[in-house]
Every structure is written in structure tokens, then in C-alpha cells.
Amino acid sequence: MESKIEEEIIIQEILPRLPIKSLFRFKLVSKKWLNLITHDPLFLAHHSHKGPSRTNITSPSYFSCKSELFFSTDDCYQFKWCKPNFLTGVMDDVMGSTNGLVYGVCSGYRKIFICNPITKHTVYVPNPEKQLTLSLACNPCNPSTGFTIVNPIFLREENDGTHNVDVFQFRVYSSKMGEWRESENASAFRVPRRCLKFRMCQAVYTGRKKVYWSLMRHILWFDIEEDVAGLVECPDHGNFVRPDEDGSFTEIGECDGAVSYSCMTRNGNIEIWLLIEKDNEFEWAKKHTVRLQRIIEEKWNVVSEICNGLNIKKGKNVAVALANRHHVKPLPYSGGEVLWFLIKTLNDLHKVLSFNLRTQELKLINEDGTIEPPLYPFMPTLLPCPT
């Protein structure tokens, strides 16, 4: 006897639990499935935020804009992104990602784009001042709230009586208002002199009302509802190796509604911290500490070729040598059991490695070194961009 699964079960129970890569193929089954997968709002919301696939496909994943590649701990979930026609060159104009949406500036810098690279849905914002420092705050689950773009702009240098400081103002674009405005309450915000190169840092939106930027030794935040800004000192104590000036790496990400901060210590440890906030009061809490030296010793077969290419031999100072020569960088942490980090080779190729905290498995993701930084934490979604 032949058995047949009812179409209702397929649509309501099976399809929403499939990974996005599989759904791409199933668009070809019929026009009905194409319509459902591409346009049905209830299906998209269910798939992106409720089904078991949400955990499987987004824990964790990253987007390499220059390599036009998505990848995660799931080997099956690595695929190329066919970039939109309005992006040219090597995609230097991608600024970051928020809640599964990629944003940046179009050629000529007169327009800002917000794009869902999975569905190709794109919206545009005028950029009359050719602004290059952007942060996107939006929630595709609730399109009615629209989106907000925040742009910190350098005004001048001042002396506060003790030190030289840089003075910034904030410009804000609201899709509800449809225009740019200057922030009133944080129109002249001061930060330590030359502690920030905004173009080199990815901004982070945690899903609440603040956006954040990494300032090397500080975290700058801006409240998009109250138009106030603040500065939080990183949990340094002089023990961290700071990122170099190549602009290829970010330190901060989003983890369970909080800002995560990934760093290397001078003795070769990877530390993950969370910035806990309540009523504009902030406190750092350590989430993970991973001894890189122990991992390397136990998994030397995974990293031996990389280290030998850097003239670093197996021994007690491998992790320290990698850290202090700026060859190893932890990636922003987005939660889950896996930590990610890069090792930069002498020919400027970047090897991406993942370490599972539970199983202690160290894995080399790209043998050929084709994944280019910057790498942005990414949450695939089938929901359209808010407007």
C-alpha cells in the first residue's frame, strides 16, 4: 500500500523546520510552494523564529561580505551569496548586519541599502552627506516598528583641561519620519582622543533600544529612543591584546540581548564577556575563558601546518606568540557552544577555526583560506526588511 502525507502536514509541520538552504531548492517544486516560501508572512515568521531549525541554522553563523559566503558549524550550511547588482567591486561598502539584514552604502555613497541576502528584498535610504559610519536598528519580526539608522560624525578636537578629546554628534534616520535629523540630547558627545576609527568597527544592535560601537578600550552606546549616549570601559586591566589597525576584525557581537566582547589575553587565552545593562547602568560578566595553548597542544594536527608556516613550533609559547604577533583573533560571540577565531598566515590568508566548548572539538573551517574578513555574525531569516 502507498502512504501519502497530507499537504497540510507538509506545509505546517515539515517545511517550517527545514534549513533555509533546503527551502531554496523546494521553491522549484510548484508555484504554490514558491509563493508560500517567498511571500507568505505567517510561514516566514514561523520558519525564522519558532521552528527547531532556528537553533540549528543560526547557532552560530557568520557572513563574509568580501567572499560573499555564509557559513556555520553545520557543514551543509555554507553557500555563496549572489550579490545584488547595486554592489560592485569587492563589497567594501558593506557596513554590517543586524537580525539577518545586511546594510551599507551603494556605489557613489548617495544611497544606503538594507538588504535581506536570503530573499534579496532591499530598501534604500537617501545618504546626502555620504555618511560611512552607520548602525542599523530594526526587528524584521515586527515590521510595523520600521527601522532606525544612527550615524556618529566627528565634529572637532577639544581639550577638557586634562586630555585632548574628540567631539562627535549623532545623526539619526527614522523610516517612520522618512528623514535625517540631528540628535538633540547627545549632539556634542566627547570620547578619548583618537580611540576610535568608526569605519573599522561594526556596530551592534541588541534588539532593545541601544546601538553600540567598539572603541578599542571602550564601548560607545546610543539610545535611539531617548537620544542620549554613553561610554563604557572594556574589562581590560591591561591584560588584553588589542586588535591591530587593519580594520578587518570586530570585537563585539550580540548574545541573548546583551553585547558580547571577545578578546585575547597576552598569555594566550580567549575570553568572552557580556555587558549587562539595567537602567543605563552597566556591568561586565565573564561568560567563557578558553586556554588556547591547551587546545593547540591537544589538537596540534589541526593547526600544525598553519603554525609551521608562521615559524612557530609546538611548545609552551605557541598561543602567546600567536596572540602578541596579532596572528590570532577571536570572532564576535553570538551564544551557543562554539567559539570562533581566525589565524592569519604570512601570506595574509585567514584560517577560520571553531572550538566546541562541550565536545572540545577543534575544527578548521576553510582549508584553502578563501574566507576573507571582516566577518559579521549573521542570523538567516526569510522575513522582509522593515519599511
Side-chain angles (χ1 to χ4, degrees), residues 80-245:
K80 281 280 188 177
W81 171 38
C82 297
K83 63 184 178 183
N85 295 331
F86 58 79
L87 286 178
T88 58
V90 292
M91 296 183 66
D92 283 328
D93 299 333
V94 172
M95 302 296 178
S97 66
T98 295
N99 288 337
L101 306 179
V102 174
Y103 61 93
V105 291
C106 301
S107 179
Y109 307 119
R110 287 294 184 184
K111 286 184 179 180
I112 296 168
F113 70 85
I114 303 170
C115 176
N116 184 334
I118 304 296
T119 66
K120 306 297 190 296
H121 182 236
T122 306
V123 296
Y124 299 93
V125 173
N127 188 22
E129 303 295 329
K130 295 187 176 182
Q131 299 162 133
L132 294 177
T133 306
L134 307 171
S135 173
L136 172 66
C138 69
N139 181 7
C141 286
N142 192 1
S144 63
T145 60
F147 61 86
T148 302
I149 298 175
V150 183
N151 173 229
I153 301 174
F154 173 77
L155 291 180
R156 60 187 178 274
E157 179 185 352
E158 290 182 355
N159 189 290
D160 62 3
T162 307
H163 303 96
N164 289 334
V165 295
D166 288 338
V167 182
F168 286 84
Q169 74 174 21
F170 294 85
R171 289 180 182 166
V172 182
Y173 179 91
S174 168
S175 62
K176 288 185 175 181
M177 302 298 294
E179 60 183 14
W180 286 94
R181 64 173 177 83
E182 290 188 3
S183 168
E184 298 177 1
N185 299 332
S187 58
F189 188 77
R190 291 159 177 81
V191 300
R193 176 66 175 150
R194 292 179 180 174
C195 73
L196 170 65
K197 292 188 177 180
F198 275 118
R199 183 63 178 87
M200 293 185 178
C201 301
Q202 181 199 9
V204 169
Y205 173 62
T206 60
R208 298 179 182 177
K209 62 178 184 176
K210 289 185 175 66
V211 293
Y212 301 83
W213 295 268
S214 171
L215 310 193
M216 303 293 281
R217 294 183 182 275
H218 298 82
I219 303 294
L220 171 66
W221 58 264
F222 178 79
D223 190 310
I224 61 178
E225 293 182 2
E226 301 179 12
D227 269 14
V228 294
L231 208 60
V232 181
E233 189 173 358
C234 293
D236 189 332
H237 311 300
N239 190 38
F240 294 165
V241 177
R242 292 293 160 189
D244 51 18
E245 303 255 329

